[in-house]
Every structure is written in structure tokens, then in C-alpha cells.
Amino acid sequence: MVDLSTEYLGLKLKNPIIVGSSGLTSSVKKIKSLEENGAGAVVLKSIFEEEIAYEYEDFIKKAEKTGSPPKYFDYDGRKNPIDYYDYKIREDNLNKYITLIEESKSNVSIPVIASINCYYHSADWIAYARHLAQTGADALELNMFFLPSNFSRSKEDTERIYFQVVEKILHEVSIPVALKISYYFTDLGPMIQKLSKSGIKGLVLFNRFFSPDFDINKFQVVPSFVFSTPSELAISLRWIAIMAEKVDCDLAASTGVHDGDAVIKQILAGADAVQVVSCLYNHGIGYLEQLLERLKSWMVSRGFKRLSDFKGKMSQSKSIDPSIYERAQFMRYFGGKKNVKTY
Ligand SMILES: Cc1cc2nc3c(=O)[nH]c(=O)nc-3n(C[C@H](O)[C@H](O)[C@H](O)COP(=O)(O)O)c2cc1C
């Protein structure tokens, strides 16, 4: 018998596999099936500030087209339709999300982590976080990303926003907070380390983004690959291994985990938990059982009884050749030299 239990963000998980934020976690029914199929925890589909803003713009556009702009409404003492509808759409979305959290909590016993995805209007993050933290969610995952394509904003300014938002949110909420980030930082290692010391309980390395592609016949911008591929594991594996013993918070690995071996690799690198999304879209949620089976049988074959027996065994800090994690060029691969290190 092996023990797969672990702790993440101070929460007890029966196993380290977390179903990441996505359409797979958007309803109570789906979350119940994920629990039945073995998920250790779930991160709910994010509440998107961006989506709410679009819905609002859409509403205003439709109203303008039909020539029946919304009537003035005396909201909060201000006769302003724009404010009212903005407020109403935000409130409706928030209420739907709160219901999802409350119903999930009363229907499953695994930890339920709420998720907020905002990338502008930083004041709204704080209000959402405060509301969601009061609903019984076990933790909050903040998906924070400001594309570094603003030519008038310095890297210092971009980075400062992360710390400002984290500080404000931690001031407002008492449940554990995790930050899901990208690898688009100039000083990635130091940035991860600094964030880990900001009071958050966990970092999710890394988010994977919706990216544009081109339809060359219609000259249109279309969605590119929505799902990750197994080769995308490499980036988060390297950074979990590099950061594992250099951070003051838990680490969850995300992106490119497509089989049980990838789960094992991320734990060897030092991950406290491993998030999966694309592989469940590809194979169905029953695939969770296969991931767990592979983890268990590998542990038995290696004589490991619990995750702590091998967690971080292959992190950079434990490596006999730490430089191998920092090697970025193909020199050796093509040079034909032996490139294998045993732990
Ligand atoms: C269809 C789909 C919807 C997603 N929705 C969200 C979301 O609402 N919030 C979020 O933080 N990440 C979202 N993600 C990103 C995933 O949580 C995850 O970070 C990404 O897919 C990489 O993990 P994977 O390689 O296991 O798929 C979504 C991914 C997919 C494929």
C-alpha cells in the first residue's frame, strides 16, 4: 500500500492531482464526477473580469443598435444607466460563481479552490476576492497576467502591479491564496522567489495562454492550439526543479502533464501538487484513474511508501550537476556526448 496524500496550500489532499481551472470544473455535476474519478482537488473555472467587461460592452452595443438604450436607473443615488448595467452584470456573474462554490462545497469533500482571472482594473480583483473568500472556498487561485507588450510600461512597473494586487488581496482575505503565473518575466527566478515571500501560500508554474493563430485563406485571426502537448512539460519541469528549494510557499506544476510519468517527474522535481487539464479533455475524466494507477505502481516498483520519499529528489538543489538545469543550448545533444546523470 502506498500513501498518496499530500498538503497543498495548507489543505489536505488525498492525492497530488488537481484538476486545473477550465471548463472541466464549471459545474457541480462535473466536479462531482471529478471527485468520483479520483481528483485530489479542483480549481474552479475562473471568474473572468475580461468576460464580464465584454458582456457589458456587448449589452451596450446591442442596446445602441436597437435604438433602445437602457433607461436611466437610480442606482446608488446616481441616475446613470451605464453604471447600473455594469454593476448588474458584475453582480449577476459574481452571484452565479458564488452559487457554484457553495453548491460544490456541499456536494464534494475534496478541496474546492476558487479562481479569479483579471488582467486589468485591479480594484475589481480585490472586490471579487473578498466576496469569494466568504463563500466557503478552501483557497483562492489568482490567475494574474499582464502581457509584456505595453511599450510605455517598464518591467519594474509591470512587476510592481503583481505585488500591489497580492498585498491588497492578502489584506482582504483570510483563506490561502495561490498565484498562477506565466514565465514571461525578465528575471523569472528572482521574481518567483520574491512572489513566494509575499505571503501567498502557493505558486502555480505555469499558466498556458490562449494564443492567436492566422487563417491564411480568410485573413482572420483564429484560436491556436487550445490544448497543450506532452512536450510542453519541459518548461514547468525545469522551473519547478530550479525553484523547489528556493521558495517560501508550495509549488503546483501546470502545463504539459499528459501521463502518469509526467506526474512523477513533477514530484521528483519538487512539486507539492500537479494540475492537469488538457489530458482530461483528450482522454475523458476517467483518465484520472490511470494517472493515479501509474503513480502508485511506480512508487511500489521503486519501494517508495509516500510522496515525501521522493518529492524533490531531482530538484536542482539536490543535483550532483546543478548546471544541467540551466543548460539552454543543444551543444551536448548534438555533440554526441553522454548526457545522463543518475540520482
Ligand atoms: C478549455 C480550457 C479552459 C481553460 N480555462 C481556464 C480558466 O478559466 N482559468 C485559468 O486560470 N486557466 C484556464 N485554463 C488553463 C488551464 O488551467 C491550464 O493552466 C492549461 O491548460 C495548462 O495545463 P494543461 O497542459 O494540463 O492543459 C484553461 C485551459 C483550457 C484548455
Side-chain angles (χ1 to χ4, degrees):
M1 266 298 270
V2 291
D3 177 8
L4 296 185
S5 67
T6 187
E7 261 200 35
Y8 174 61
L9 312 179
L11 307 168
K12 298 238 175 302
L13 271 58
K14 63 184 177 184
N15 69 62
I17 301 184
I18 299 178
V19 179
S21 181
S22 62
L24 297 166
T25 57
S26 61
S27 75
V28 180
K29 196 171 160 216
K30 292 179 191 173
I31 292 163
K32 274 176 83 172
S33 321
L34 291 169
E35 179 180 48
E36 282 157 18
N37 281 277
V42 291
V43 184
L44 299 182
K45 178 163 174 52
S46 305
I47 182 164
F48 276 82
E49 188 198 349
E50 187 189 5
E51 198 170 74
I52 294 171
Y54 282 147
E55 200 177 323
Y56 168 63
E57 277 165 24
D58 206 40
F59 173 83
I60 297 296
K61 267 190 214 139
K62 271 189 200 144
E64 280 169 359
K65 240 190 204 161
T66 56
S68 57
K71 294 204 168 24
Y72 285 107
F73 193 93
D74 192 356
Y75 157 64
D76 208 17
R78 289 172 291 169
K79 291 204 164 192
N80 188 337
I82 307 292
D83 279 354
Y84 169 69
Y85 285 102
D86 186 19
Y87 165 83
K88 181 89 179 78
I89 288 167
R90 278 166 201 274
E91 193 182 62
D92 286 353
N93 276 282
L94 195 59
N95 284 341
K96 265 190 242 157
Y97 203 72
I98 287 171
T99 307
L100 176 65
I101 298 173
E102 287 173 342
E103 291 184 356
S104 305
K105 279 302 295 170
S106 53
N107 278 279
V108 297
S109 54
I110 54 173
V112 173
I113 301 170
S115 163
I116 306 179
N117 187 325
C118 297
Y119 77 101
Y120 59 142
H121 292 163
S122 78
D124 290 328
W125 287 75
I126 321 299
Y128 292 161
R130 188 175 343 121
H131 279 98
L132 301 186
Q134 289 160 357
T135 57
D138 294 290
L140 192 58
E141 186 179 283
L142 303 176
N143 177 340
M144 213 188 280
F145 181 53
F146 310 99
L147 193 75
S149 60
N150 182 335
F151 293 92
S152 58
R153 198 167 58 203
S154 69
K155 105 179 160 64
E156 286 78 14
D157 287 344
T158 302
E159 289 178 5
R160 200 170 303 118
I161 300 173
Y162 286 80
F163 292 97
Q164 283 168 350
V165 175
V166 165
E167 192 188 329
K168 284 189 185 147
I169 285 182
L170 292 180
H171 184 70
E172 292 288 336
V173 310
S174 51
I175 59 173
V177 173
L179 201 57
K180 185 180 190 184
I181 58 167
S182 76
Y183 46 82
Y184 291 102
F185 289 106
T186 314
D187 302 314
L188 184 57
M191 182 67 177
I192 293 174
Q193 190 174 56
K194 254 169 86 184
L195 284 170
S196 83
K197 294 177 191 294
S198 64
I200 55 168
K201 292 275 185 274
L203 276 161
V204 183
L205 308 182
F206 292 108
N207 195 10
R208 180 177 185 274
F209 298 103
F210 169 89
S211 297
D213 190 10
F214 288 176
D215 180 324
I216 57 170
N217 295 314
K218 292 185 182 157
F219 304 105
Q220 280 175 352
V221 178
V222 293
S224 66
F225 306 99
V226 176
F227 301 123
S228 69
T229 58
S231 66
E232 291 176 54
L233 179 77
I235 296 177
S236 62
L237 187 64
R238 172 193 289 226
W239 283 98
I240 293 278
I242 290 178
M243 298 311 300
E245 271 141 75
K246 301 186 187 78
V247 289
D248 285 0
C249 70
D250 293 340
L251 291 178
S254 168
T255 296
V257 175
H258 279 254
D259 55 25
D261 286 14
V263 174
I264 295 163
K265 288 176 193 178
Q266 292 287 19
I267 299 171
L268 279 168
D272 298 283
V274 180
Q275 296 197 359
V276 290
V277 171
S278 293
C279 68
L280 301 185
Y281 273 107
N282 291 344
H283 303 284
I285 58 170
Y287 191 62
L288 278 167
E289 283 174 30
Q290 283 188 48
L291 297 177
L292 290 166
E293 267 318 306
R294 173 65 184 145
L295 174 59
K296 275 190 234 164
S297 64
W298 178 83
M299 284 172 68
V300 170
S301 75
R302 310 303 304 188
F304 295 132
K305 293 201 162 38
R306 55 195 76 76
L307 300 181
S308 56
D309 292 345
F310 65 97
K311 192 174 89 181
K313 188 176 160 58
M314 293 183 70
S315 66
Q316 187 185 36
S317 306
K318 300 236 171 72
S319 173
I320 46 170
D321 181 9
S323 67
I324 203 161
Y325 296 81
E326 285 160 17
R327 198 157 292 143
Q329 308 303 338
F330 283 98
M331 178 180 69
R332 278 189 149 204
Y333 183 86
F334 291 118
K337 287 191 188 154
K338 209 167 172 227
N339 196 16
V340 181
K341 294 272 180 273
T342 307
Y343 289 77

